[in-house]
Amino acid sequence: MASNTTPMPANTGFDLGRFLRRNGLQVGIFSVMLLLWVIYFVSTPAFRQGNIYTALMSTVPYWGIVALPLTMLVIGREMDLSFPSIMAMSVTTFVGVNLATGQPLLAFAACLLTGFAVGLINGLIVVYIGIPSLIATIGTQFFWSGMVQVITNGRSFPLNELRGTAFRDILVGNLFGFFPMQMIWMILVAVGVWFLLNRHRFGAHVYLIGDNENTARLMGVPVNRTRVLMFAIVGVAAAFGGLLNAIQISNFFTNLGDGYLLIGLAAVFLGGTSVFGGVGTVFGTFIGAFIIASIQPAVVAIGWAGFTTEVIYGLIIVLSVAMHTILRARIR
Amino acid sequence: MTENDRLELRNISKSFGEVHSLRNINFRVGRNEVVGLLGDNGAGKSTLIKIITGYHQPSSGELYFNGQRVDHLTVPRARELGVETVYQERALADQQSLWRNIFIGRELTTRFGFLDVKKMRAETDRLMRGELGFTSTAVTPDSSIKGFSGGEKQGVAIVRALYFHAEIIILDEPTMGLALSETRKLLNFVREIKTAGKSCIFIDHNVFHVYDVADRIVLLDRGTVAGEFRKADLSLNELLDKMQHVAETGSL
Ligand SMILES: Nc1ncnc2c1ncn2[C@@H]1O[C@H](COP(=O)(O)OP(=O)(O)OP(=O)(O)O)[C@@H](O)[C@H]1O
Ligand SMILES: [Mg+2]
């Protein structure tokens, strides 16, 4: 009766304005993905079949799994350019321990531990020696990829004996015969990082450090410890992603990780994470990763020359970062 | 000293490389006492309070809380000991939501460090309607504080300091950026701190504000304590004279 005379704040029901204000960046990137997908779907038959999706879901997780915690690192105003070499170094450990003991589970643990340790070293160098991470991790990228060559003598190692094992099936098998397990892992990592970032004290501290380090210190946030851990988490993820990759192709090539750096970073920035720290979402990176990965097959399917891919990469990245910058200024 | 002091600094010095910001400072805050800290720009007021908040480690000297010596004070430890601070630089995170700003470094958590977001939002909502006096529905606990005015931001920093039931509240130029009515509210509030049996260190460049609320006034000059007076023993004019004298000669 009196409903038109008492303007109640829309606490009950769905408040679109507030939803957009809170989630503008995610809505933005999601719209970009939908738009692209409609274009693909209409313009090429390939995107009307399942294969291309299976292919994307089996290859994106290798580096997508790293891009997710990398998002957290960038929100914390740091950078890791060395994750490709962490992948290779960790899988080197896997191969070594597996050869020595014949126990893939043990080798798996050693692999993750290596990733953790190498990430930790990055963090310690950045935090306690005070070298900016952009520079420190260029150095460690060279160092660890060099170490991999030294240890392996540049040889590759087949991992065929893992074929048919439950270990392999759980990591990279196909669920119901078509759904790549690595995609499940990527979803689990995304959920895990989301919780850490948005529902755990650790993530709250990451946002604060990225936003204003001085404030974080004045208010008693354990800045150094949080920073070091951010690097270590990226390290573990790199180890995991790298291992999925090697096991899927049943071979460890020492150049494992090559080519993942730029697309990994592109996914993070495409997803709306600010280079200046303090802002970013896991959801954005997740979508960003698939947008980036879809470009090449789309270009090929449409029938353009392969090198058009890079032009489109460039355009999409610049346009979407521009979009995020504008949205950020408008919303909130 | 007495066991009854909330806080005592003995012979505290602090230097940053060649810069000696504090020399042999002796300073105490009693229970139920508002101590005003006055001094020129660069006298060392903020450095002094940042030693008490655990942000700076003193180069030498000792700190006592409730008569107990505390070494290697950190910010979380100081906050546990009941020190809450409105810093001169406000210490806010502009791009973060209001609720995150209120709970910086003291997030409410459930088990295993998981955030109790619901509770933090609700508490922030309560503070907004009450102490902060936000009436606009456009501002929610999830609004980022980027668009807030200077005074509103200062309000957030002040409300935050009060939220945690501090025993010692440190206010470093809290009236900066506040309108007259807000300033008056703040000064009233400082008087209430005393009535509530808590202690306060109050820094302000406005001598009238300091004289108004302080029980005791400490004059800092170039990193040393130049003088200390109980308000009861000294009129405002005498205080002004002394300050002028210190500024000219460096001593009383
Ligand atoms: N982190 C630092 N590194 C080097 N010098 C510092 C640092 N912090 C303070 N100082 C120096 O210590 C001295 C005291 O500074 P402080 O900020 O404590 O003064 P203040 O009394 O609070 O001044 P104001 O009234 O302007 O706020 C100044 O000379 C300042 O330059
Ligand atoms: Mg100061």
Side-chain angles (χ1 to χ4, degrees), chain B residues 156-201:
Chain B
V156 174
I158 293 168
V159 164
R160 176 175 66 186
L162 307 183
Y163 175 78
F164 295 100
H165 309 293
E167 298 297 322
I168 304 171
I169 294 170
I170 299 175
L171 302 166
D172 193 351
E173 311 222 5
T175 59
M176 186 175 51
L178 292 190
L180 212 57
S181 61
E182 293 299 311
T183 302
R184 197 169 305 134
K185 250 165 71 184
L186 180 94
L187 296 178
N188 274 334
F189 160 72
V190 175
R191 287 183 204 106
E192 281 166 27
I193 293 180
K194 197 172 132 67
T195 333
K198 307 196 167 172
S199 313
C200 176
I201 301 172

Side-chain angles (χ1 to χ4, degrees), chain A residues 9 18 21-22 195-205 207-208 210-212 214-222 274 276-279 328-329 331-332, chain B residues 50 53 55 75-76 79 84-85 87 89-96 99-101 104-107 109 112-115 117 121 137-138 140 142 144 146 160:
Chain A
R18 177 190 285 189
R21 233 176 293 122
R22 273 197 208 172
F195 263 98
L196 195 57
L197 198 51
N198 297 290
R199 287 295 177 269
H200 197 272
R201 195 194 286 130
F202 181 82
H205 292 168
Y207 275 111
L208 292 169
D211 192 314
N212 190 331
N214 194 43
T215 290
R217 286 189 191 278
L218 286 169
M219 299 307 290
V221 169
S274 166
F276 305 110
V279 179
R328 202 166 292 145
I331 304 178
R332 300 168 192 228
Chain B
K50 281 179 184 168
T53 67
Y55 179 78
V75 177
R79 295 184 82 180
E84 288 295 335
T85 311
Y87 287 103
E89 50 270 62
R90 293 208 181 105
L92 298 171
D94 272 349
Q95 300 175 95
Q96 309 306 316
W99 70 262
R100 282 183 189 267
N101 270 285
I104 298 179
R106 284 193 96 168
E107 296 80 10
T109 55
F112 310 117
F114 281 100
L115 300 176
V117 175
R121 280 207 181 109
T137 48
T140 72
D142 283 293
S144 88
K146 195 164 46 181
R160 176 175 66 186

